[in-house]
Amino acid sequence: SKEDDTPRRIQANPDVVNKIAAGEIIVAPVHALKELIENAVDAGATSLEVLVKDGGLKLLQITDNGHGIDRTSPFYVKGSPLLSSKKFEDLNSICTYGFRGEALASISHIAHLTVTTKTKDSSCAWRAHYDGGKLSPAKPGQSPDPKPTAGRGGTQISVEDLFYNVPTRRRAFRSTSDEYNKIIDMVGRYSIHCAGVAFSYRIRQIHGGNVANELIQFSASDDRWGFKSSGWATNANYHIKKTTLLLFINNRSVESSNIKKAIEQTYSTFLPKSGHPFVYLSLEIDPQRVDVNVHPTKREVNFLNEDEIIQCVCEIIREKLAAVDTSRTFMTQT
Ligand code: ADP
Ligand code: MG
């Protein structure tokens, strides 16, 4: 047959577009879990249970005791997409990163999502399934409407068969234990950060060495730069091969190579050459000074007066390290 060289119009199917967009945001199960944890914390949860199967690829389930989702919320409007609480105007001052109001909708494009939720005013819990951003039947032939069910106050979100419809992404996972370890790390970060939240794990055990005896507490703030910070850092008696930095900005776990570099620099005069610290740092920065317009997969954040803020924090850590050092020297002399 003759080759057909008439120009072709390539049609972008919105389902495919949504799937690709979601797959770009959620690169691994841990990214979905992070959003679910943040939603639970936002909902005022004080207890949180995480269940993981096959590194989160088969199942990610998180059960919280937060305020639940009201029946009148856009979630339950038949046929409507999962709407977010955030409006365009809020973008300047929101304290969240990453999805900015698209987490659940995104997840539903690349996994089977089930939400079971009960507010304190409701006599029963409601369960709903979502696929492709819409309410959908749990089983073929059933109605997509949310169904009343028994349940405790709070919300349970299940994410099943992540990437089931993105086979190339699914095949890219070499081992489920790598994904599991990333999940353990993320849950560990939030369990440290949310001191008031009692995370109970069904996932086996949290990793990490025993650094508790060598921690010093610090805090710093400066109105000029619109920030407050607090944290714990290991003293000069402790070191590990690689820096562990648990960094939270406005209660979101984020990364910053600038902060990490500055902290390593600060410790370099106190630790042996190959030694590195463990640092937990929580920064609260006036949301208007934080740039939320970064690409969703970018876990790094930008904020105003970054250099000044980093310098303040590192100066405090340096003073604390020096103080511990002196007191030890002093003790050995007596
Ligand atoms: P965002 O958190 O940015 O608003 P999400 O897609 O993550 O967007 O969540 C959408 C909305 O669903 C939230 O704003 C919240 O109203 C509701 N929600 C999600 N998870 C929970 C939860 N665990 N408890 C209570 N409400 C929740
Ligand atoms: Mg969210």
Side-chain angles (χ1 to χ4, degrees):
S1 65
K2 255 198 293 169
E3 220 176 281
D4 177 9
D5 57 2
T6 44
R8 287 185 205 178
R9 196 179 295 275
I10 299 169
Q11 293 246 319
N13 172 339
D15 276 354
V16 174
V17 171
N18 283 328
K19 230 167 73 177
I20 293 171
E24 255 175 43
I25 296 168
I26 300 160
V27 175
V30 66
H31 303 136
L33 182 71
K34 178 176 189 292
E35 294 297 327
L36 301 180
I37 293 177
E38 287 170 1
N39 283 345
V41 173
D42 286 349
T46 54
S47 150
L48 220 149
E49 215 170 83
V50 179
L51 183 61
V52 176
K53 275 189 202 158
D54 290 353
L57 288 162
K58 186 77 206 140
L59 175 72
L60 273 175
Q61 185 179 75
I62 153 162
T63 309
D64 69 50
N65 67 346
H67 56 53
I69 307 170
D70 196 84
R71 244 332 238 142
T72 58
S73 124
F75 268 94
Y76 293 113
V77 179
K78 197 175 174 180
S80 91
L82 294 164
L83 293 182
S84 140
S85 57
K86 293 183 186 89
K87 294 175 207 71
F88 185 72
E89 312 85 77
D90 297 338
L91 269 183
N92 292 332
S93 58
I94 60 170
C95 297
T96 58
Y97 299 96
F99 295 91
R100 296 182 294 279
E102 297 164 13
L104 290 181
S106 294
I107 290 168
S108 80
H109 284 285
I110 49 171
H112 306 299
L113 179 72
T114 306
V115 178
T116 309
T117 188
K118 182 181 176 303
T119 59
K120 67 173 183 342
D121 298 330
S122 173
S123 55
C124 64
W126 292 88
R127 175 169 296 161
H129 298 273
Y130 300 86
D131 273 303
K134 293 199 295 283
L135 272 173
S136 61
K139 292 195 185 102
Q142 290 183 345
S143 143
D145 293 345
K147 289 179 187 54
T149 174
R152 290 178 295 166
T155 303
Q156 180 177 78
I157 305 228
S158 305
V159 175
E160 284 170 277
D161 288 321
L162 192 58
F163 304 120
Y164 75 96
N165 55 358
V166 196
T168 48
R169 176 59 53 77
R170 179 104 201 196
R171 277 197 298 269
F173 293 104
R174 279 172 300 129
S175 85
T176 55
S177 64
D178 284 355
E179 301 316 309
Y180 181 73
N181 288 338
K182 289 184 215 163
I183 286 170
I184 298 273
D185 180 77
M186 187 57 70
V187 172
R189 282 168 192 260
Y190 275 93
S191 69
I192 289 174
H193 179 69
C194 303
V197 176
F199 282 72
S200 65
Y201 310 120
R202 250 186 232 169
I203 44 180
R204 282 168 298 178
Q205 222 191 351
I206 195 154
H207 74 49
N210 182 16
V211 297
N213 295 336
E214 308 293 351
L215 286 174
I216 44 182
Q217 203 171 1
F218 63 89
S219 60
S221 65
D222 197 319
D223 290 342
R224 273 177 305 172
W225 321 127
F227 89 100
K228 280 193 291 202
S229 72
S230 62
W232 295 295
T234 45
N235 63 33
N237 293 329
Y238 179 91
H239 59 262
I240 33 181
K241 274 198 212 121
K242 268 166 69 184
T243 301
T244 302
L245 174 59
L246 311 182
L247 175 63
F248 285 78
I249 297 185
N250 297 348
N251 301 314
R252 278 358 188 199
S253 170
V254 295
E255 284 172 29
S256 160
S257 43
N258 288 343
I259 295 181
K260 195 171 170 194
K261 257 183 258 160
I263 287 175
E264 285 175 340
Q265 178 68 32
T266 305
Y267 271 88
S268 62
T269 52
F270 294 95
L271 297 183
K273 219 172 174 184
S274 59
H276 295 281
F278 168 100
V279 175
Y280 159 77
L281 170 62
S282 173
L283 276 171
E284 276 175 60
I285 302 174
D286 177 357
Q288 300 186 352
R289 294 169 153 266
V290 181
D291 182 11
V292 296
N293 270 325
V294 289
H295 189 268
T297 54
K298 216 174 149 195
R299 318 268 163 212
E300 298 248 344
V301 293
N302 302 319
F303 49 90
L304 288 179
N305 298 111
E306 190 174 322
D307 292 345
E308 288 84 354
I309 293 177
I310 294 176
Q311 216 185 325
C312 282
V313 170
C314 286
E315 193 44 45
I316 296 288
I317 294 178
R318 189 186 336 251
E319 278 171 24
K320 293 274 178 177
L321 287 174
V324 172
D325 233 22
T326 336
S327 63
R328 286 191 193 266
T329 311
F330 183 73
M331 270 161 47
T332 53
Q333 282 169 352
T334 50

